[in-house]
């Protein structure tokens, strides 16, 4: 449908403007690509039959927000908008009727997008089918539902302005920085948040909890980050959801499926170059628990019983099938949320065009106690080069409760 709309636009263009049609078609195609890079569908498409008609629920620590209808429907979408209205939403976080938008719409990142790129996205959005679908985006409880509170929020958390290239760096690095900080909005999930949900930019991409998962540190830190990954490893992960270290699950599986698997090779390469340049000074690496620690001995038994068949006796996994647990940023994360999540609920790695079937990790919620799960996680967090604080049965219990509807 979308392609048809773009084609008919081309036909129209050909009829009325002759030779000028080609640039217009190219702009729409570029906009389609950029909308994929920005992953607008993650929050704006709840029903694949109704692309961009809104309705995706986004849970925040303050309550629920819902992605708006951004199809060109004049009543319930943005059909009456001009380009300037659209640009204000992207660059300033101002939506319908001048209302301030919540940061769940990642305008704090999109503000970096250039005018040229915004024009392309706008051109593409206008080729979409208008869909009548009223959406109440603000479903937060009082007092968070009052939009005037966003004036203060923006003042504290929002640095408005297009990305400014760093002339001391290569064009490739700058492209990577532009994509990661801007449209790719990687910091929305990977940057720690302050009390009111704003990004702690001094800790850019250093890892945080999101929707019962841990979005790990993706700087080049060696212990908690991806310092050991090569540029190729980063590209493989973003393109296929898998590399020799890890498999994407949870929200990152969605990101790969909707977005990064479709990024151009040169854009992924730029992202890899940029991420590899981000270091963390003085990374704190705790000393691992000793092998004769009681929890370590018990954990080792459970590991060999339940886990080693897939993840290997020394945590090396099986390339592209079972993730490596040794020297794994996620395993070393300060909080064990993702680990408890995966062991309790199981998980299936992401399927991508490049890799249509993904292996699965079984759920252990019904066959292991909180104590046993905590013990085996403590063991993997302190073996084979990993070191991280022990996991308590209480941590696992809390995750079990959060995962039980
Ligand atoms: C992480 C979720 C998320 C992503 C990704 C996202 N949005 Fe949004 N967007 C929202 C939410 C939530 C709202 C409603 C916010 C509010 O009402 O305060 C919104 C609102 C908007 C609005 C304002 C609509 C109105 O009626 O005022 C526009 C325009 C918009 N988004 C465009 C985009 C585009 C284009 C992209 C991709 C480049 C995008 N969004 C990606 C969550 C998201
Ligand atoms: C919607 C939230 C979300 C967004 C947006 C997101 N990520 Fe992630 N990311 C995660 C989560 C959660 C994980 C952990 C996945 C897992 O447990 O397998 C992750 C994992 C990763 C990893 C693997 C780290 C490791 O040690 O295994 C890389 C690399 C990564 N993300 C890069 C990116 C980049 C680059 C972007 C922006 C283009 C991005 N992510 C955007 C949530 C997100
Ligand atoms: C049948 C094979 C199998 C068994 C048994 C198994 N796993 Fe997994 N495990 C997987 C697969 C496949 C994944 C990747 C799934 C995904 O990423 O969604 C995975 C993912 C994980 C992850 C997330 C790693 C990451 O970086 O994303 C952890 C942690 C983990 N397993 C721990 C364990 C523990 C602890 C046990 C024993 C209690 C165990 N696994 C048993 C197959 C298995």
């Amino acid at each position: 449908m979308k392609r048809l709309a773009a084609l008919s636009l081309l036909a129209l263009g050909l009829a009325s403007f002759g030779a000028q049609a080609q640039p217009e078609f190219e702009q729409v195609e570029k906009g389609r690509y950029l909308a994929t890079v920005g992953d607008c569908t993650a929050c704006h498409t709840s029903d694949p039959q109704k692309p961009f008609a809104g309705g995706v629920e986004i849970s925040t620590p303050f309550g629920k927000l819902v992605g708006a209808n951004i199809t060109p429907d004049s009543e319930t979408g943005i059909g009456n908008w001009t380009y300037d209205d659209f640009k204000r939403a992207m660059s300033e976080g101002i939506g319908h009727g001048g209302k301030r938008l919540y940061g769940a719409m990642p305008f704090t990142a999109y503000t970096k997008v250039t005018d040229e790129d915004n024009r392309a996205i706008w051109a593409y959005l206008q080729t979409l089918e208008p869909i009548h679908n009223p959406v109440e985006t603000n479903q937060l409880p009082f007092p968070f539902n009052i939009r005037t509170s966003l004036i203060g929020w923006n003042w504290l958390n929002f640095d408005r302005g297009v990305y400014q290239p760093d002339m001391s760096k290569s064009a490739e690095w700058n492209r990577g920085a532009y994509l990661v900080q801007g449209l790719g909005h990687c910091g929305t999930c990977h940057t720690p948040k302050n009390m009111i949900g704003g990004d702690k930019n001094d800790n850019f991409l250093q890892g945080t909890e999101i929707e019962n998962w841990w979005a790990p540190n993706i700087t080049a830190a060696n212990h908690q980050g991806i310092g050991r990954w090569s540029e190729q490893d980063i590209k493989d992960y973003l393109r296929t959801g898998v590399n020799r270290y890890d498999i994407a699950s949870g929200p990152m599986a969605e990101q790969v499926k909707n977005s990064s698997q479709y990024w151009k090779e040169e854009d992924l390469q730029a992202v890899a170059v940029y991420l590899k340049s981000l270091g963390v000074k003085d990374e704190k690496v705790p000393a691992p628990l000793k092998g004769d620690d009681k929890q370590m001995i018990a954990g080792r038994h459970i590991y060999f019983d339940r886990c080693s068949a897939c993840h290997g006796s020394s945590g090396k996994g099986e390339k592209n099938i079972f993730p490596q647990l040794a020297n794994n940023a996620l395993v070393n994360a300060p909080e064990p949320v993702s680990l408890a999540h995966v062991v309790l609920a199981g998980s299936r790695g992401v399927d991508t065009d490049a890799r249509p079937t993904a292996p699965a990790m079984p759920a252990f919620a019904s066959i292991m106690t909180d104590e046993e799960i905590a013990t085996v996680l403590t063991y993997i967090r302190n073996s084979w080069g990993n070191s991280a604080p022990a996991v308590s049965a209480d941590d696992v219990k809390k995750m079990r409760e959060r995962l039980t509807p």
Side-chain angles (χ1 to χ4, degrees):
M1 213 48 162
K2 271 182 268 168
R3 184 162 291 272
L4 262 182
L7 282 174
S8 55
L9 201 116
L10 171 69
L12 254 170
L14 274 174
S16 45
F17 306 110
Q20 278 175 12
Q22 196 54 30
E24 194 171 340
F25 177 71
E26 274 166 19
Q27 190 187 35
V28 168
E29 282 306 300
K30 181 177 170 188
R32 180 203 308 280
Y33 174 68
L34 293 173
T36 304
V37 171
D39 201 3
C40 316
T41 55
C43 304
H44 289 285
T45 305
S46 61
D47 173 355
Q49 302 303 315
K50 297 180 179 166
F52 300 93
V56 181
E57 294 186 358
I58 301 145
S59 56
T60 77
F62 311 101
K64 194 166 77 183
L65 285 159
V66 184
N69 180 344
I70 56 168
T71 69
D73 181 58
S74 47
E75 212 178 307
T76 62
I78 58 175
N80 291 333
W81 284 31
T82 61
Y83 168 68
D84 288 333
D85 294 330
F86 174 69
K87 192 180 168 184
R88 278 211 303 173
M90 292 290 282
S91 312
E92 299 176 43
I94 295 184
H96 231 97
K99 73 182 178 205
R100 274 166 209 281
L101 298 175
Y102 287 93
M105 160 69 185
F107 64 87
T108 51
Y110 294 159
T111 190
K112 308 241 177 196
V113 177
T114 61
D115 187 57
E116 193 191 327
D117 283 355
N118 276 328
R119 280 184 193 277
I121 298 172
W122 174 244
Y124 166 63
L125 290 178
Q126 289 190 297
T127 67
L128 297 172
E129 186 104 346
I131 295 170
H132 187 89
N133 183 34
V135 175
E136 179 45 73
T137 57
N138 182 356
Q139 303 194 7
L140 297 173
F142 180 81
F144 304 115
N145 60 348
I146 300 174
R147 287 185 188 262
T148 46
S149 67
L150 292 171
I151 299 175
W153 192 93
N154 280 353
W155 190 72
L156 291 167
N157 297 305
F158 179 36
D159 291 324
R160 186 180 144 191
V162 173
Y163 176 76
Q164 298 300 322
D166 178 342
M167 292 309 178
S168 71
K169 300 285 201 322
S170 68
E172 192 173 53
W173 184 96
N174 275 296
R175 176 73 181 162
Y178 173 69
L179 290 168
V180 167
Q181 297 174 18
L183 264 186
H185 68 283
C186 315
T188 304
C189 298
H190 285 277
T191 300
K193 304 289 179 269
N194 60 29
M195 295 278 287
I196 53 172
D199 284 357
K200 287 191 194 163
N201 283 324
D202 290 347
N203 303 101
F204 187 56
L205 303 181
Q206 289 175 17
T208 189
E209 186 175 335
I210 174 133
E211 295 165 22
N212 298 331
W213 293 90
W214 184 258
N217 185 326
I218 53 168
T219 71
N222 268 322
H223 188 68
Q224 289 187 358
I226 54 175
R228 288 189 177 84
W229 293 21
S230 67
E231 287 170 5
Q232 190 61 45
D233 291 329
I234 296 175
K235 285 193 288 180
D236 287 347
Y237 183 90
L238 293 172
R239 157 96 52 229
T240 65
V242 181
N243 65 15
R244 63 189 163 124
Y245 290 101
D246 214 348
I247 302 184
S249 25
M252 191 63 199
E254 301 279 309
Q255 197 282 344
V256 172
K257 207 172 159 61
N258 294 329
S259 181
S260 68
Q261 69 162 322
Y262 299 117
W263 291 30
K264 292 178 191 152
E265 166 66 22
E266 65 262 31
D267 282 344
L268 290 180
Q269 175 64 27
V271 167
V273 165
Y274 172 67
L275 291 181
K276 287 293 286 179
S277 78
L278 299 174
V280 175
K281 282 192 213 97
D282 307 323
E283 189 184 14
K284 285 187 209 80
V285 180
L289 293 176
K290 297 226 162 58
D292 57 3
D293 181 281
K294 261 183 15 213
Q295 250 190 317
M296 291 294 282
I297 294 170
R300 190 166 187 277
H301 281 294
I302 303 174
Y303 183 80
F304 277 86
D305 256 17
R306 302 263 190 217
C307 324
S308 65
C310 297
H311 292 288
S313 53
S314 51
K316 290 252 163 56
E318 192 69 55
K319 192 182 166 200
N320 294 351
I321 304 176
F322 303 125
Q324 158 171 346
L325 300 179
N327 288 320
N328 179 319
L330 200 67
V331 177
N332 285 320
E335 300 295 334
V337 270
S338 278
L339 308 180
H341 190 147
V342 164
V343 174
L344 282 165
S347 171
R348 179 172 290 280
V350 57
D351 54 301
T352 51
D353 290 356
R355 185 169 168 278
T357 44
M361 153 98 182
F364 289 92
S366 59
I367 48 176
M368 284 172 78
T369 64
D370 295 338
E371 187 70 47
E372 285 168 338
I373 293 176
T375 305
V376 74
L377 291 179
T378 299
Y379 172 76
I380 66 169
R381 274 160 77 76
N382 289 281
S383 300
W384 326 299
N386 295 330
S387 61
V391 179
S392 71
D394 201 48
D395 292 333
V396 180
K397 179 166 169 262
K398 282 195 195 118
M399 181 53 70
R400 193 188 284 270
E401 283 163 5
R402 278 152 71 183
L403 296 176
T404 316

